[in-house]
Amino acid sequence: MTEKNELSLSFVVCLLLGFPNPCLGTGKECCSSILLDSDLAVHKIQGDKLGFYSQLGYYGARPAYRQQGGEFFIFYYEQKQHWIDSRYFYGASLFSKLVNEMDGYCLDEHNNWSFYNGSDLMYSEVLTANCSKIEDVCCKELRISSANSEVIIDDQSYYNNQSKDSLGDYKAIGMINGRYVYQKDNLDSFLEYGAKHWTVSSGVGQNTGHIIHHGGSVCPEHIEKEWQISYTNADGDWDWKDDPFLKITCIKKVTDVTPKQEHQEKGPVAQPYIQTEHAGQASSYSAETVVFGCITMLLLSMMIAFFSKEVLQSLGQRCSGETVAV
């Protein structure tokens, strides 16, 4: 039996059982880890909803996802037949800001995304969902450096002490808002993403610090420009100024992965509603057995009903004849 026939038979079984929706994804392997990413322009507007997501069960008869270390969800919205995001829970669509206009079983099956730009939904060719794990995309160990850290202008250092102390080597210690959060040498200095920007601050969860990038990226080492550092202006107030020479580089490169199986090339795999194996004869035998068993049970029930009716009619005629004879 071919794989196509096997899937068709499995779908027939679902229809006979009266549960067609869970069978929509029969035989499909969807990603269990998704990267939702875009360019800097989208990051500046909806960056808090981007990043890495992990499958968290099913909704709308399809895999559903939650942002790793974050508060956003992505799920299939059956009423509109497309994928959307939500800050609250599966099924909440009132404040959705991201929409993938397609009804495929897998989120990354086709990218037709639009994002809310403040007034309308705007289509984006660069907003995509793909099958990825963060350890295969972003660096776990980083170095923040700048050629301006030793520059002196008019007897004043371009960098104040706080900004200079924020430079150095950082290691990933967990995930927040779909991205790594980093710490410097076990000191009270953290690089994290929140409120649509990357910040180096003295505590996780703070919205202010001494190095910042508005908009950012999923991986901080992918940002090439627009970093800023803190300084004290002429009025004595804290402010931001550009540092075109600030850069973040990888210390430990991402390990090259050589997949041994075809599905591994696409990344981690989510389990389908009805798991079907693709091991040739063994999986075909399983499908044939299920279908044959269902048909046999149906025919057996019909035969029992038929013979029971015949027996009851025969007994009724016999009893009627005995009464007449008496």
Side-chain angles (χ1 to χ4, degrees):
M1 178 179 290
T2 65
E3 181 178 339
K4 183 177 181 180
N5 290 336
E6 175 189 340
L7 298 181
S8 298
L9 289 174
S10 299
F11 186 74
V12 169
V13 173
C14 292
L15 292 177
L16 290 175
L17 295 175
F19 301 101
N21 283 342
C23 301
L24 291 175
T26 300
K28 290 188 177 181
E29 293 182 340
C30 299
C31 301
S32 62
S33 180
I34 288 285
L35 168 58
L36 187 61
D37 200 5
S38 189
D39 61 2
L40 180 58
V42 178
H43 270 274
K44 288 185 176 181
I45 301 174
Q46 300 295 348
D48 54 341
K49 302 168 184 61
L50 306 181
F52 288 89
Y53 285 73
S54 293
Q55 186 192 0
L56 186 64
Y58 294 83
Y59 187 84
R62 288 162 175 78
Y65 300 87
R66 179 169 184 168
Q67 191 180 48
Q68 296 181 31
E71 56 184 3
F72 289 94
F73 303 88
I74 297 178
F75 58 91
Y76 180 74
Y77 188 42
E78 286 186 291
Q79 185 174 341
K80 296 293 185 179
Q81 296 184 338
H82 58 208
W83 294 78
I84 62 174
D85 78 294
S86 173
R87 182 190 291 269
Y88 304 103
F89 51 85
Y90 295 158
S93 61
L94 185 60
F95 300 105
S96 176
K97 306 297 183 182
L98 303 176
V99 178
N100 191 10
E101 290 285 355
M102 69 99 183
D103 63 351
Y105 179 73
C106 298
L107 174 61
D108 62 323
E109 193 169 312
H110 181 66
N111 288 306
N112 190 27
W113 289 91
S114 297
F115 69 97
Y116 186 70
N117 63 4
S119 58
D120 300 293
L121 279 175
M122 176 182 293
Y123 172 73
S124 174
E125 293 183 351
V126 294
L127 180 55
T128 61
N130 62 75
C131 197
S132 299
K133 296 185 293 183
I134 190 169
E135 57 266 30
D136 296 332
V137 179
C138 301
C139 290
K140 288 187 175 181
E141 297 184 24
L142 304 172
R143 175 166 295 152
I144 306 177
S145 62
S146 174
N148 279 333
S149 62
E150 302 299 330
V151 171
I152 297 177
I153 301 176
D154 297 332
D155 294 330
Q156 287 189 343
S157 174
Y158 193 80
Y159 267 65
N160 58 34
N161 292 334
Q162 293 88 344
S163 296
K164 185 177 290 187
D165 290 341
S166 298
L167 303 177
D169 296 344
Y170 289 74
K171 293 182 180 180
I173 58 173
M175 290 189 68
I176 293 179
N177 299 318
R179 298 157 174 85
Y180 276 143
V181 56
Y182 302 84
Q183 185 173 11
K184 177 184 176 181
D185 301 328
N186 296 324
L187 301 175
D188 294 339
S189 186
F190 302 87
L191 170 64
E192 68 168 314
Y193 181 90
K196 301 185 181 70
H197 55 251
W198 282 96
T199 308
V200 177
S201 67
S202 60
V204 174
Q206 292 189 13
N207 292 325
T208 60
H210 296 286
I211 295 178
I212 195 170
H213 187 281
H214 297 282
S217 173
V218 171
C219 307
E221 69 272 19
H222 294 167
I223 303 172
E224 298 180 353
K225 56 183 180 179
E226 297 187 13
W227 285 101
Q228 295 180 309
I229 61 173
S230 66
Y231 80 106
T232 305
N233 60 29
D235 296 328
D237 299 324
W238 286 101
D239 205 347
W240 297 105
K241 65 179 178 180
D242 296 333
D243 182 3
F245 293 102
L246 191 149
K247 61 181 180 179
I248 296 182
T249 55
C250 257
I251 298 177
K252 189 174 183 180
K253 297 292 184 181
V254 178
T255 304
D256 293 331
V257 179
T258 304
K260 296 182 179 180
Q261 299 180 3
E262 181 179 355
H263 74 270
Q264 290 178 330
E265 296 176 356
K266 301 178 181 179
V269 173
Q271 296 296 325
Y273 257 57
I274 294 183
Q275 185 174 356
T276 58
E277 299 177 355
H278 301 285
Q281 185 176 0
S283 60
S284 299
Y285 175 79
S286 177
E288 290 176 337
T289 303
V290 173
V291 175
F292 179 78
C294 292
I295 296 176
T296 301
M297 292 293 292
L298 181 62
L299 292 176
L300 184 61
S301 299
M302 294 173 63
M303 292 175 62
I304 293 174
F306 175 80
F307 285 111
S308 297
K309 181 179 179 181
E310 292 294 323
V311 171
L312 290 175
Q313 288 180 348
S314 177
L315 290 175
Q317 292 176 356
R318 177 179 294 181
C319 291
S320 176
E322 291 176 354
T323 301
V324 172
V326 174

